[in-house]
C-alpha cells in the first residue's frame, strides 16, 4: 500500500479526497492536515466520516514525506509554499488553480497577481485523464483543472479537436454553493444563497483560460450560482463548420470517449434525463456530456455535467493517481450516484 | 367598478390573476371558470386565497359577459374556442400562446399545428406595456407574451432598438417548475424535478419566435428547468457594433426604462444582488434587467429576471388592463417582493 | 400621517418592517437606522425595495423623536439601551425578546443573563392582537412575541383557555433560516444549512417560557431548522380532558378566531393543503391553525403555521400599531401569500 | 456467486436494490422485473446506472428461480401474489408492508383491508439486523420494516428495552418525497411538493404499529413531508423512570450499538452536526441515533435519522442478506455518505 497525505483536509475538496482515499484499496491515508483544526478528529469537520475515519488532523509542520501528496490548500497557497510542499511527496497532485496555466502572463491576467513560482509552471501535467492519460503515466507533478473547466473541456474537446467548431464559443456555467468552498461571508448564508440564480461572473471567469488552453477555442464564459450544494453544468454554444449531423457527432464522441470509464455520452431523443444532469451525479466520478444540433442555424449546443467536488476535483485527482501507478482507473471511484436524489 | 372574469381559473396563471384582481380597487371579479372544479370553492384549489376569496368556480357554459375577460386556458384552446371566447368580454386579454405570433407560418413552425383562427391574428395587440403602451390604450384584444420571452425582450430591446447589437444573439433561459403549469407527469414529481438543471429545450424553444419578432434579432434559445417553483432568468449574449461603454448602456436603459414603473436596471459593480435575481421577485410585477460588458471581446451579456406568473403572465395582463382603462399602472400590482425569500 | 421609525433596519425583521410600513397608508416612514450601513441606501441591503424606497440608513445617534418607533435591534439591546430607546417614540413597539417575559427570574433562566431593566418589565403589553387586543388599544409599550411562540400560542390557546387540555404539552417547532437573522457563522452557510433537518434546540428552547406564560400550560419544546428561508410550523401534542369531538373543536376555534382577520382555521378531511402549511404564507400576515383528534388515545395534535418575519414579527407589530391607533387591522397587511410558491 | 433477482425494479426501492446489488461482490443480479418497462433498459428508468448496468427489465412472467429474491412491489401485492412470489427464491426478502405485522387484526386496523395470506404472517423474520440478527442467520422469509419505523425503533429500542421509558411516547417523523415512491398525483408535483412542511398523517400513521410491536411502547405518531427527496428523521418524546443521566444513556446505547456496523450514536454537546441529520446520510446505510435529556421535566428526546431508501429499505434488505449468508455485514454497503450534500 502506498502512503498518501492530504494537505488542506478541512475544506470541501479535502474532505472528498479523504472520503475517496479511505475507500481506496491500494493506498493508506496517513495524514490530513489543517491549521485550524490540528489535533481535532477529522470526523468533527466531516461528519459523514464518523465510524469510517479515526484520523485527527495533523498540523502542517508535523508532516513527514509520502508516496503521494494531494494539495487541497486555498488558491495561491500552492505556489507560495511550492518549495516546501513539493518536497512532501514523490508524486504531488495539486488541486489549486496555481499550476493549471502554463503561461505566466495568462495567470497574472486572470488571477490579478504575479505568479510566485513561474519556474515550476512547466513541470505540471494536467490532471485530466481524458486528455493527458499518456503523460500522467509517469507524471510526478499533476495539476487538476477547475470544476467548471473540466465539464466544459470534456464537452467541447472532441468536437473542437476534429475541427468541427468555429473558434468562438460561449460557455454558460451553473454551479452549486460548495464550489466556493467552506467560506462564510454575508453572500454565502442560506438565507441569501438559497433559491438563487446568481450571476456572479457575467464575464471573464477564470476557468475561461483553462478551457481555451485545452481546446484552442476562444471562450467567453458566464458563471451562475444555483440552489444546489453540489453539481456543475455547462452549456456551450458555438457554430460548426462543414457538414454535421447527429450521427457524425455520436461517432466523434464515441471515438473519443467510448473507452473512457468516467465519461458518458447522454444525448437522447426523449426521456426525463435525456441530457446531462448533475442531479444524479452527486458523489460519482462521472462527467456526462451531451449535445443538441441546430442544423438550420448551423449551431451546436454542447452540455457537460459533473459533481464539482468529485470529477471536478478529488475524483479527477484520484483517477490521475490510479493512472500514474498503473492501477485500474475505477479504483476507489465506483460509487455511481443516486436516483432519485 | 368594471366587471371582470377569468376563464381557466384553476391553473397557476389563473390563480395569480384571481389573487391580483381581488386586490384591484377598480374591478370586481365576478367569475372564474373551471371545468374540473366547477361549483367548488376557488380557495380549495388556491389555498392562499382562504378568507380572501369567497367565489366558487363557474362552469364555462354558465358564463355571462363582462367588461374584461382574461383567458388563462391551455395553449391552443384560445384559438380553438376563439369565436365563443371573444364574445365574452368587451376587452379580452389572452394569456395563451395562440395570438402572440402574427405570422401564421411562424406559428405553425413552432407549435407544429396549423392556426385555427388565422383571421384574428392581426387583431391582437401585444400585452407588453414597455413596447406597446400606446396601442394598448385602445386595444380590445390583447395577447400577453410568454414569461421567458418577456424577460428576454425587456433585456434585449433597448440595445437592439438603438442598433447596438449584431443580429445574432443567444438566450439561455432558466425557469422554475410553475412555468409548465399544474401538469403532473412522471417528469414533474418532486423526486424527479427537485435539484434539477434540466435542459428541456436545448434548441428551438417556442419563445424564440416572440423574441425575434419583438427585437428584430436572430435568436437561438436554450431553456433549462431549475429547482425553483417561481422565477425566470434569461442570459442573453451578443456582440455589439461601434463604440460601447458602460456609461452609454446606462444612458440607453435609462432612456427606455427611466419612467417605467416595473422595469429596474440592476447592474452594479459589487453587492450580492448586483445583477437581476428572481429570488427577490416572487409575487412582484418587476422585471429586473442588467448588463455586463466585455470590451476586449466586443461582447454584451444582457440579463433579465421576473416572476413567470406575474410580470411573466398575470401581472403583465393586469398592467395592460390598467393602461387600457387609463388607470395608474401600479394599481393592484404594488407588492414589491420579499427579502430574504 | 403618523411619523414612524425603525431602529435596527438592516436585519431581516427590520427589512420586513420597512417593506410593510412603506405600503401603509396612515404612516410615513421617516427613518431606519443602522450602525454598519449608516448613510447607505436601504435598498442596498434590502434589494426587494429598489424603486420602492429612497431612504438611506440613519445613524442611531441622528434619530429624532417619532409617533411610533419599532425596535428591531438584536436581543438584549433593547433592555441595555432601554432608557434611550423608549424616549424616541410616543409609542414603542419592541421586537426583541427583552420585554416578553414579565418575570425577571424566568428571563434569567432562559436567557442566562440578569435583566438590565427589570423595572420596565411590567410596562409592556404583549403584541399579540388575538390575546391582547383590548390592552393594545391604549398601550404605549408593546412587546411582540417570538415567531415560534406566536404559532404555538395561537394553536394552543383556545383549547387551553376552555380547559380542554391536560397541562403537559409538547411542541415540535420547525423553522427556516431567516429566523436566526442575518448572522453568518460556519453553521449558516448554504452548503451546511441547505437540506437540513437540524435539531438545534432538542430541549429548553427559549420560546417555551412565552408559550407557558400565554397558555398556562407546561411546555416542552423542540426546535428544528429546515431547508426554507421563511416559515415556521409548530406541532403541539397533548391529551384532552372530558368529551371532545371534531365538532366541539371547530366550535371553540370559531368562537375564538371567527372574527380574527389573520387567523384561519385549516383542518380539512382531505386536500393537499388540509392542515397549516407555511409554504403558502410567505409575505402574508396569516397564522393558520389546525387540529387532529385521536379519540381512542384521547390525544390532540394542534398545528400552527406562519411567516416568521411577518405574523411572527413585523406583521404582528404593525397589526398591533393598527389596533393602538384605531385603524382597520388589515391596513398594510393585505398581501395574501402565493400559490404555488 | 449467488444468483439474485429484484421483483419490482422500476420503483425507487427497486432501483436502490439494483444499485447496491450490482456493487455486491458475492451476488450476481440476474433479473429485475417491471410490468410497465419490460424489455426496456434498466438505466432508462434509473439513469444513475448508465455504464453501470446493462440489464433490461424482465417481465414478471419470464422470471426463473433464484437463490435470493427481493420483493419491491407495491404494498398489498406481496400478500396477494404470495403463493407465486415465495416460490421464486430459496430466500425471499420482502420490502412491502405486507408481512411486517404478525397480527392479522393489527394489519386490518392500519391497512383497512383484510390480510390475504394470514397463514404466512408467522413465517417472516423482521429484516432489522440490530434486533433480529440471530434469527436472520437462518431465515428464508424476511420482512424489512418501514423507513420511519426503522429510525424510530433504533432510537427507542435500547432505552425501552432496559425499561427506562414510560410506555407512552410520541414520534414526530419527517420524510422526503421519495418515501411515497414514484407516484405522481397532483399533490406530488414539484410546484405543490417543494418547500412544504406537509403534515400528511397527523395521527395514526401505519408505522405506529411496527414501532409498538418492536419496542412494546404505546406510540402516537405524526408524519410530515419536508422539502427533500431522500431522508427520514424521527423525534421521539417520552418520560423516563428512575434515575437517568447522560452517562447512563451513553452506556446503554454503547452496549446495544457499540458493535453495530451501521448505527452511530450522535449526541454531542456542540457542533453543527451534534445530533442525527439526514443531510449527510444520502446513499449510506447508516442510521444515526441521538438523545437529549431534560432532567427537570424527566423527559427524553430521542432522535433517529437515515436514508429512507437505504437503511430504511434496500440497504437493510442487503444487510439482512449478508447476515443470512454469513458474509461481512458491510458488503456492498460501504458508501459513507457525502459532506456537504
Amino acid at each position: 500500500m502506498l502512503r498518501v497525505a492530504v494537505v488542506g483536509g478541512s475544506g470541501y475538496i479535502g474532505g472528498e479526497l479523504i472520503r475517496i482515499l479511505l475507500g481506496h484499496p491500494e493506498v493508506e491515508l496517513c495524514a490530513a492536515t489543517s491549521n485550524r483544526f490540528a489535533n481535532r478528529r477529522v470526523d468533527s469537520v466531516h461528519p459523514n466520516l464518523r465510524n469510517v475515519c479515526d484520523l485527527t488532523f495533523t498540523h502542517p509542520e508535523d508532516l513527514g514525506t509520502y508516496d503521494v501528496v494531494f494539495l487541497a490548500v486555498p488558491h495561491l497557497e500552492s505556489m507560495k509554499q511550492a518549495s516546501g510542499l513539493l518536497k512532501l511527496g514523490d508524486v504531488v497532485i495539486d488541486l489549486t488553480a496555481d499550476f493549471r496555466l502554463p503561461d505566466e502572463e495568462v495567470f497574472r491576467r486572470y488571477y490579478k497577481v504575479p505568479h510566485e513560482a513561474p519556474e515550476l509552471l512547466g513541470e505540471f501535467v494536467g490532471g485530466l485523464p481524458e486528455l493527458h492519460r499518456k503523460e500522467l503515466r509517469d507524471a510526478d507533478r499533476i495539476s487538476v483543472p477547475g470544476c467548471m473547466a473540466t465539464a466544459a473541456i470534456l464537452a467541447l474537446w472532441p468536437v473542437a479537436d476534429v475541427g468541427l467548431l468555429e473558434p468562438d464559443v460561449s460557455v454558460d456555467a451553473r454551479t452549486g454553493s460548495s464550489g466556493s468552498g467552506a467560506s462564510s461571508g454575508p453572500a454565502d448564508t442560506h438565507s441569501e444563497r438559497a433559491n438563487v440564480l446568481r450571476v456572479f461572473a457575467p464575464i471573464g471567469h477564470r476557468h475561461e483560460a483553462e478551457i481555451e488552453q485545452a481546446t484552442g477555442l476562444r471562450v467567453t464564459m458566464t458563471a451562475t450560482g444555483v440552489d444546489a450544494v453540489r453539481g456543475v453544468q455547462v452549456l456551450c454554444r458555438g457554430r460548426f463548420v462543414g457538414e454535421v449531423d447527429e450521427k457524425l457527432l455520436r461517432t466523434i464522441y464515441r471515438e473519443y470517449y467510448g473507452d473512457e470509464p468516467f465519461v458518458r455520452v447522454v444525448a437522447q431523443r426523449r426521456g426525463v434525463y435525456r441530457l446531462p444532469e448533475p442531479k444524479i451525479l452527486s458523489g460519482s466520478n462521472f462527467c456526462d456530456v451531451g449535445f443538441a444540433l441546430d442544423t438550420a442555424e448551423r449551431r451546436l449546443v454542447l452540455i457537460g455535467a459533473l459533481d464539482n467536488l468529485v470529477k471536478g476535483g478529488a475524483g479527477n485527482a484520484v483517477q490521475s493517481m490510479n493512472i500514474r501507478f498503473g492501477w485500474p482507473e475505477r479504483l476507489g471511484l465506483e460509487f455511481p450516484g443516486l436516483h432519485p436524489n
Side-chain angles (χ1 to χ4, degrees), chain A residues 109-183:
Chain A
R109 185 161 76 250
Y110 278 96
Y111 290 87
K112 318 293 184 210
V113 295
H115 201 287
E116 300 192 22
E119 68 284 2
L120 298 173
L121 281 172
E123 289 191 14
F124 282 78
V125 169
L128 189 52
E130 292 77 11
L131 275 74
H132 307 300
R133 183 171 282 106
K134 199 142 152 303
E135 306 91 295
L136 284 169
R137 293 214 174 92
D138 49 21
D140 293 337
R141 304 272 181 269
I142 298 170
S143 170
V144 177
C147 52
M148 293 184 267
T150 299
I153 290 165
L154 291 175
L156 286 164
W157 174 55
V159 188
D161 198 47
V162 296
L164 227 60
L165 272 177
E166 288 189 10
D168 279 322
V169 302
S170 68
V171 173
D172 247 318
R174 302 92 178 256
T175 175
S177 56
S178 64
S180 51
S183 60

Side-chain angles (χ1 to χ4, degrees), chain A residues 22-81:
Chain A
L22 286 168
H24 194 293
E26 296 288 348
V27 306
E28 177 197 4
L29 178 62
C30 302
T33 75
S34 169
N35 285 298
R36 185 160 155 229
F37 298 101
N39 304 317
R40 287 180 51 183
R41 291 182 56 84
V42 165
D43 61 15
S44 69
V45 175
H46 304 300
N48 58 321
L49 300 181
R50 288 165 175 157
N51 284 29
V52 176
C53 178
D54 264 333
L55 285 175
T56 54
F57 284 112
T58 303
H59 192 286
E61 290 170 359
D62 304 332
L63 272 184
T65 61
Y66 308 88
D67 298 308
V68 187
V69 168
F70 297 86
L71 306 181
V73 294
H75 294 315
L76 308 186
E77 286 306 303
S78 280
M79 72 179 185
K80 286 178 181 166
Q81 311 177 30

